[in-house]
Amino acid sequence: MSNCFCYEINTMKYKKTNMTSCFLINGWCFSKTNTEVDFLVKINGKESSFNSIPLQRIDIFKKYKNEIDSSMIGFNMRIPCQADVLDSLEIVARDKQGNEEALIQLDADAINGIKDTSSLEYEIESYQGNKADKMSLVLGWVYSLDGKNIDITIVDSKDTLVDSTIREVNRNDVEKTNLLTDKDKCIGYQITFDAKKSEKYFIVFTTDADKLKVDLNQLNVSKVNLAKAYLTNINAENIRKATTYLKRNGLKGFLNRLKYGVAKGSSNYSDWLLANKVTSKALEEQKETKFDYTPKISVIVATFNTKEEYLKDMIDSVVNQSYSNWELCIADGSTDDKVQNYIKEHYSNESRIKFTKLDDNYGISGNMNKALELATGDYVGLYDHDDILELDCFFEIVSSLQEYRYDVIYTDEDKYDDETKVFVDPNFKPDYSEDLLRSHNYITHFFCVNKKIIDEVGGLRSEYDGSQDYDFIFRCIEKANKVHHIAKILYHWRMHNLSTAQNPESKMYCYEAGKKAIEAHYQRIGVKATVEMMPKPYYGLYHTIYSTQDNPLVSILIPNMNHKDVLKTCVDSLYQVNNYKNFEIIIIENNSTEQEIFDYYDQLKKEHDNIKVVKWEKEFNYSAINNFGAKYADGEYLLLLNNDTEMMKEDALSEMVGCCLRSEVGVVGAKLLYADNTVQHAGVVIGFSGYAGHVFNGIDQNEYGFMRRAIINGNYSSVTGACLMTKKSIFEEVGGLDEKFKVACNDVDYCLKVREKGYLVVYNAFSLWHHYESKSRGYDDKNKEKMWRFNHEVEIFQKKWPEILKNGDPYYNRNFKIEKAPFTL
């Protein structure tokens, strides 16, 4: 380390092939003057061109957080080299103060020592499996600097080819961060194969010029390493997290979580927040920004015997905002004058703070309304007296209002543990989700609303104290032109002994008030429904049971080929478990060859007068088969149902019907479980693997999922077609399933077509089914053919829906890395 720079070179290669000659350098560097750093590269003593891209290095930022204000101090550098003879390489760092230092100085011998003649670069990001006889999963990427086509295979210890399914995945992140050129060939991959516990497996990357063989078993976390990882990560915060997880999920769920170990390259949330929050330099730039539209933001807060420490943090985080057109309206219902005296002593020169001392304590809603009476702004934000704002909160809100004047805006938030002084439990929210809001108040803070809307709907209501903001949010959204979500952590909810955040059982009346708020919402908008509070430990969560009204006819479409026992399980559950009786079953016979299935069809038609069997005699095409079956449907509603499903709860069908009856809903999906009662489907997010993925796959039936989304109703961009209900009128409006998607992508494509028409897609967590996946079709005999067909359909999907793949799924927070596992920062 020098006096002016801190740095480290992590990897350094001289790639020399028949077609490529370049240096690949990875590392980090920052100047102690806290100014920007650029680089000078010299090859053989002459200045050379190069490409470099900054990378986030949270690990280094955490170590030097008192010296720097940004985590973007890492770099990937690619230096083309045209010289026939290499005598030297020098890389110099320079800052804005004129300081310089050589980071790398290599002579000819040193360059030869880092020479790499393979054109292939790769990373295996995840390998799960080989712990027992089961399916293994490998995720990662590989690229060829020579632009060669890359063949990927799995082999065993005898070099025998292992049957595997290889799915190519777009990895724009790798192309960007590794500075790949148009010539380079990059492949992201997702590989599944049957693994035997006693066998070793290798992944092999092959081009016509190179071959790399990597031992996958070396990537498994051994018991010793796993124990070491846990010991390394024992601290007060993680002990608290583990205790909470144990309470919520029981010993079985806790032990199941332990086996996953500590994620590679993981950092705790507090580190992530520190690395991603606004820098002091950015705040200064924001202060100089001139907006065309500069609304005044009135922040209303009710204080009550507020501790000085909390009061200072709360007020300072408003006073120091980078956007200046605000006012802080405080109504104090305290039993003494301490709050009033503190504000007078410390903020008497701040004209934007408006304060009123109340003659009585009118309760939280009454006191907040007194603060609202002070507000003169264009927008009003709700603020609690012991919470904290990020200093760019108002700037981000006003930025979002430049192109469209949203009536309602909300941000992401987290909690601040007052005891440990650590930020925890982030709520990375989706864009506005009507069904999620009806399931719990996921919006909470920071909530900002056009003052004209408040003038129309009125202030907070005392009869909902405890959930007064929930009721207020509903009333504002009912009248809003649009609801906008800012996907940034801009609000910190303080946890202490008296707060609901710390002790949910301390204020049970809050949850009763929340139930009343949802019921009142339904009454105002004319929806017939009942609301149930979910039992302990699911405090603050609600189950809406929508009326099925006149119980319309549902046509259940079940494609089938052979497998009598599989189909019988499905059909029996519809007659024996199901309490919704107005349905018909249309079995679409798809080229069966076994006589017993035809005998079973005859038996069903004799036993039930609401079963039809229609014959599809062409090649398998899931979309065409369902479109064909829908022509025979008499119902107003269609349920696309796989034959390898089984209804688990008697109200599974009525739950879906109730949701689908709503005029704004176009598609309803269910919660599907594997045979072992782990989750097969609880919502689909667009973007995973360049296409889409199930986000809670594999968790236990009763596990919460991120922000409890696996166990409550919510909106998604798509649900699986294995159990999908839709209005027949909408099915016809969008042209049914797209028959270009013969096997894959058809359900996701259908949901996106429905959403494009303005309808909602709802995941109903209370419609519970088993899904014994893939029993009916089996697997293709030729792996290459299967892979080609799937990838071909994904390619069609990518060309059809480029915008959502580019801009991101609105129901999935952009802070999560879509290239990684679900809900991973």
Side-chain angles (χ1 to χ4, degrees):
M1 299 297 174
S2 71
N3 292 329
C4 296
F5 296 89
C6 285
Y7 66 91
E8 182 178 1
I9 304 301
N10 298 122
T11 60
M12 182 166 49
K13 296 180 181 180
Y14 170 45
K15 304 291 286 190
K16 180 64 175 176
T17 73
N18 291 334
M19 300 175 63
T20 300
S21 179
C22 67
F23 290 95
L24 302 179
I25 315 288
N26 170 269
W28 59 268
C29 179
F30 69 85
S31 170
K32 294 181 180 179
T33 64
N34 207 13
T35 60
E36 291 182 16
V37 174
D38 60 18
F39 301 99
L40 172 69
V41 174
K42 292 183 179 180
I43 294 178
N44 295 344
K46 296 182 179 179
E47 188 171 340
S48 176
S49 62
F50 66 96
N51 293 313
S52 182
I53 189 167
L55 303 175
Q56 189 175 65
R57 289 295 300 265
I58 294 178
D59 54 336
I60 306 303
F61 182 75
K62 180 182 178 183
K63 183 177 179 180
Y64 294 100
K65 61 187 177 184
N66 294 325
E67 300 179 47
I68 51 178
D69 65 0
S70 173
S71 60
M72 298 299 290
I73 57 172
F75 60 83
N76 268 348
M77 190 178 295
R78 182 167 176 167
I79 309 168
C81 178
Q82 305 299 328
D84 294 329
V85 178
L86 280 175
D87 294 323
S88 65
L89 170 70
E90 183 178 17
I91 299 179
V92 177
R94 305 182 296 191
D95 67 16
K96 297 301 182 183
Q97 300 295 326
N99 300 303
E100 293 188 356
E101 178 158 354
L103 308 184
I104 293 175
Q105 289 180 306
L106 303 179
D107 59 18
D109 290 338
I111 292 172
N112 194 56
I114 61 170
K115 188 175 180 179
D116 183 350
T117 58
S118 171
S119 67
L120 295 173
E121 289 286 300
Y122 72 93
E123 182 169 344
I124 300 171
E125 297 169 317
S126 173
Y127 172 49
Q128 300 171 20
N130 208 25
K131 300 295 186 182
D133 290 351
K134 63 177 184 179
M135 192 69 73
S136 287
L137 174 67
V138 188
L139 303 173
W141 52 262
V142 60
Y143 66 82
S144 166
L145 288 162
D146 288 349
K148 301 284 188 179
N149 289 326
I150 306 167
D151 187 45
I152 306 174
T153 55
I154 301 292
V155 300
D156 61 19
S157 56
K158 297 178 181 178
D159 273 344
T160 302
L161 188 66
V162 176
D163 185 35
S164 55
T165 299
I166 303 175
R167 179 169 163 186
E168 291 191 13
V169 179
N170 284 342
R171 290 301 299 264
N172 294 330
D173 60 316
V174 176
E175 294 176 12
K176 179 181 178 182
T177 57
N178 288 272
L179 298 163
L180 302 193
T181 66
D182 293 338
K183 180 194 74 172
D184 302 327
K185 173 72 174 180
C186 180
I187 297 176
Y189 55 81
Q190 175 176 307
I191 307 172
T192 54
F193 64 95
D194 286 320
K196 292 181 172 56
K197 184 177 180 181
S198 57
E199 185 57 88
K200 293 181 69 175
Y201 295 97
F202 302 81
I203 185 169
V204 182
F205 306 112
T206 307
T207 71
D208 59 13
D210 285 300
K211 183 175 182 178
L212 287 177
K213 181 179 176 181
V214 183
D215 186 349
L216 290 173
N217 296 73
Q218 293 180 352
L219 302 170
N220 280 338
V221 181
S222 69
K223 292 181 180 179
V224 174
N225 288 338
L226 184 59
K228 180 180 179 182
Y230 280 122
L231 289 171
T232 302
N233 284 274
I234 288 177
N235 54 49
E237 181 186 358
N238 286 336
I239 289 173
R240 182 192 62 76
K241 288 180 179 177
T243 302
T244 301
Y245 195 92
L246 178 61
K247 287 179 179 179
R248 288 179 174 177
N249 299 284
L251 182 59
K252 179 182 176 182
F254 178 75
L255 294 176
N256 184 60
R257 175 64 185 86
L258 282 181
K259 71 184 181 183
Y260 293 107
V262 181
K264 175 186 174 183
S266 64
S267 63
N268 62 47
Y269 166 69
S270 194
D271 292 339
W272 181 92
L273 177 67
L274 182 64
N276 285 276
K277 69 191 303 183
V278 65
T279 65
S280 56
K281 179 181 178 182
L283 287 172
E284 292 304 313
E285 292 174 352
Q286 290 175 6
K287 290 176 182 177
E288 301 301 318
T289 300
K290 305 296 183 184
F291 288 115
D292 292 331
Y293 176 55
T294 56
K296 180 189 286 186
I297 298 176
S298 299
V299 182
I300 62 172
V301 58
T303 52
F304 182 79
N305 295 342
T306 311
K307 289 173 60 174
E308 283 190 2
E309 175 192 352
Y310 300 169
L311 193 63
K312 182 181 188 312
D313 288 346
M314 182 270 289
I315 297 176
D316 283 352
S317 70
V318 175
V319 170
N320 295 319
Q321 288 287 314
S322 60
Y323 178 78
S324 60
N325 192 15
W326 55 262
E327 61 181 9
L328 177 59
C329 305
I330 302 174
D332 181 38
S334 300
T335 57
D336 54 39
D337 294 331
K338 290 181 180 179
V339 169
Q340 182 178 13
N341 293 337
Y342 183 86
I343 292 174
K344 181 181 293 186
E345 179 182 354
H346 294 90
Y347 300 98
S348 58
N349 294 329
E350 181 50 80
S351 61
R352 293 171 294 180
I353 296 178
K354 296 182 176 181
F355 178 87
T356 181
K357 175 65 176 169
L358 304 180
D359 56 5
D360 198 359
N361 178 16
Y362 296 96
I364 182 60
S365 293
N367 292 354
M368 285 290 279
N369 286 336
K370 292 294 185 182
L372 181 59
E373 292 175 5
L374 303 175
T376 62
D378 303 286
Y379 282 80
V380 174
L382 306 189
Y383 197 20
D384 287 348
H385 69 149
D386 49 2
D387 293 344
I388 308 165
L389 295 174
E390 279 293 316
L391 300 185
D392 57 336
C393 180
F394 299 166
F395 178 87
E396 293 292 345
I397 289 170
V398 175
S399 294
S400 72
L401 292 169
Q402 296 308 302
E403 293 186 6
Y404 189 88
R405 307 291 191 260
Y406 301 101
D407 281 337
V408 168
I409 302 162
Y410 66 93
T411 75
D412 292 344
E413 64 185 295
D414 63 14
K415 296 182 178 68
Y416 178 67
D417 191 321
D418 197 46
E419 182 178 352
T420 63
K421 308 302 180 186
V422 173
F423 296 100
V424 296
D425 199 15
N427 187 351
F428 290 109
K429 306 167 188 177
D431 287 354
Y432 179 58
S433 173
E434 178 178 295
D435 287 84
L436 189 61
L437 184 62
R438 292 173 176 182
S439 299
H440 80 132
N441 184 9
Y442 82 93
I443 288 179
T444 53
H445 300 298
F446 185 60
F447 180 77
C448 192
V449 59
N450 191 324
K451 180 63 161 55
K452 294 178 181 178
I453 297 293
I454 300 179
D455 292 341
E456 183 177 355
V457 305
L460 289 87
R461 296 176 174 175
S462 297
E463 59 266 38
Y464 298 98
D465 273 0
S467 285
Q468 70 286 336
D469 54 343
Y470 200 8
D471 168 71
F472 182 69
I473 288 170
F474 273 124
R475 287 186 285 119
C476 290
I477 286 178
E478 288 163 19
K479 300 293 184 180
N481 56 9
K482 282 189 178 181
V483 180
H484 181 64
H485 165 225
I486 298 174
K488 291 188 176 184
I489 299 286
L490 298 175
Y491 192 100
H492 307 292
W493 185 11
R494 191 190 298 265
M495 294 193 303
H496 51 79
N497 290 335
L498 298 179
S499 72
T500 309
Q502 180 76 12
N503 181 15
E505 292 191 35
S506 65
K507 297 181 179 179
M508 288 300 297
Y509 73 92
C510 297
Y511 309 120
E512 292 283 358
K515 177 175 177 288
K516 287 173 54 181
I518 302 171
E519 290 170 338
H521 163 64
Y522 289 140
Q523 289 171 5
R524 286 190 299 271
I525 65 174
V527 170
K528 295 180 179 179
T530 57
V531 181
E532 295 179 348
M533 287 176 56
M534 292 180 66
K536 181 181 180 180
Y538 307 120
Y539 293 121
L541 305 184
Y542 304 93
H543 173 199
T544 293
I545 304 168
Y546 295 97
S547 169
T548 57
Q549 298 177 14
D550 298 326
N551 297 325
L553 178 65
V554 176
S555 297
I556 303 174
L557 309 182
I558 309 177
N560 187 73
M561 175 184 177
N562 296 320
H563 297 289
K564 173 201 168 184
D565 291 341
V566 173
L567 179 62
K568 187 176 187 303
T569 298
C570 176
V571 172
D572 284 352
S573 71
L574 292 172
Y575 285 105
Q576 297 171 12
V577 179
N578 174 30
N579 67 7
Y580 188 89
K581 300 305 182 182
N582 194 18
F583 67 91
E584 65 173 2
I585 297 175
I586 301 171
I587 298 171
I588 308 139
E589 157 53 32
N590 169 36
N591 296 299
S592 293
T593 57
E594 300 170 359
Q595 183 57 42
E596 69 170 357
I597 193 65
F598 294 104
D599 294 340
Y600 180 57
Y601 295 155
D602 291 338
Q603 176 189 337
L604 286 175
K605 286 187 286 187
K606 289 178 183 178
E607 293 176 352
H608 306 284
D609 59 4
N610 61 342
I611 284 187
K612 304 173 186 175
V613 178
V614 298
K615 289 188 177 181
W616 172 262
E617 296 178 342
K618 301 178 185 179
E619 66 176 0
F620 182 86
N621 180 321
Y622 179 84
S623 298
I625 289 171
N626 278 282
N627 291 344
F628 174 72
K631 295 177 182 177
Y632 295 87
D634 294 326
E636 298 176 61
Y637 295 83
L638 305 177
L639 176 65
L640 279 57
L641 189 66
N642 279 20
N643 62 348
D644 55 354
T645 56
E646 178 184 18
M647 185 180 289
M648 294 178 62
K649 290 180 63 180
E650 64 178 11
D651 58 354
L653 188 54
S654 63
E655 281 280 352
M656 299 180 80
V657 173
C659 279
C660 208
L661 276 170
R662 294 156 48 198
S663 61
E664 71 273 18
V665 172
V667 172
V668 180
K671 186 170 188 175
L672 306 184
L673 306 179
Y674 292 113
D676 63 358
N677 289 330
T678 57
V679 172
Q680 189 268 338
H681 168 265
V684 174
V685 165
I686 313 301
F688 287 106
S689 302
Y691 162 49
H694 294 199
V695 286
F696 295 115
N697 186 271
I699 70 172
D700 186 77
Q701 171 185 348
N702 296 315
E703 280 192 55
Y704 284 34
F706 180 76
M707 296 311 300
R708 308 176 178 184
R709 288 179 67 178
I711 59 171
I712 53 178
N713 292 354
N715 301 112
Y716 284 88
S717 287
S718 178
V719 292
T720 179
C723 183
L724 180 155
M725 181 173 286
T726 187
K727 295 180 175 71
K728 186 179 181 183
S729 59
I730 294 177
F731 190 83
E732 293 172 343
E733 180 184 357
V734 301
L737 300 181
D738 188 334
E739 295 181 12
K740 291 194 297 292
F741 300 115
K742 297 180 179 181
V743 177
C745 308
N746 36 56
D747 48 1
V748 179
D749 173 75
Y750 178 76
C751 288
L752 292 183
K753 289 195 298 181
V754 171
R755 287 193 60 238
E756 196 172 44
K757 294 292 185 180
Y759 298 104
L760 295 176
V761 173
V762 178
Y763 157 65
N764 189 309
F766 303 93
S767 178
L768 204 60
W769 307 67
H770 273 130
H771 183 202
Y772 308 110
E773 194 174 22
S774 297
K775 287 184 178 177
S776 60
R777 280 194 55 243
Y779 295 96
D780 293 8
D781 293 329
K782 296 181 179 180
N783 176 57
K784 291 292 183 181
E785 180 183 341
K786 176 174 58 174
M787 181 182 72
W788 178 89
R789 184 176 61 196
F790 181 88
N791 289 338
H792 175 66
E793 294 192 6
V794 169
E795 185 178 349
I796 295 172
F797 178 90
Q798 291 170 341
K799 290 178 179 178
K800 187 174 182 179
W801 301 104
E803 290 304 313
I804 191 169
L805 289 169
K806 177 183 177 182
N807 298 327
D809 190 321
Y811 295 112
Y812 190 71
N813 193 286
R814 72 181 188 192
N815 289 293
F816 296 122
K817 300 295 287 183
I818 202 73
E819 301 86 6
K820 307 295 183 183
F823 302 110
T824 302
L825 286 175

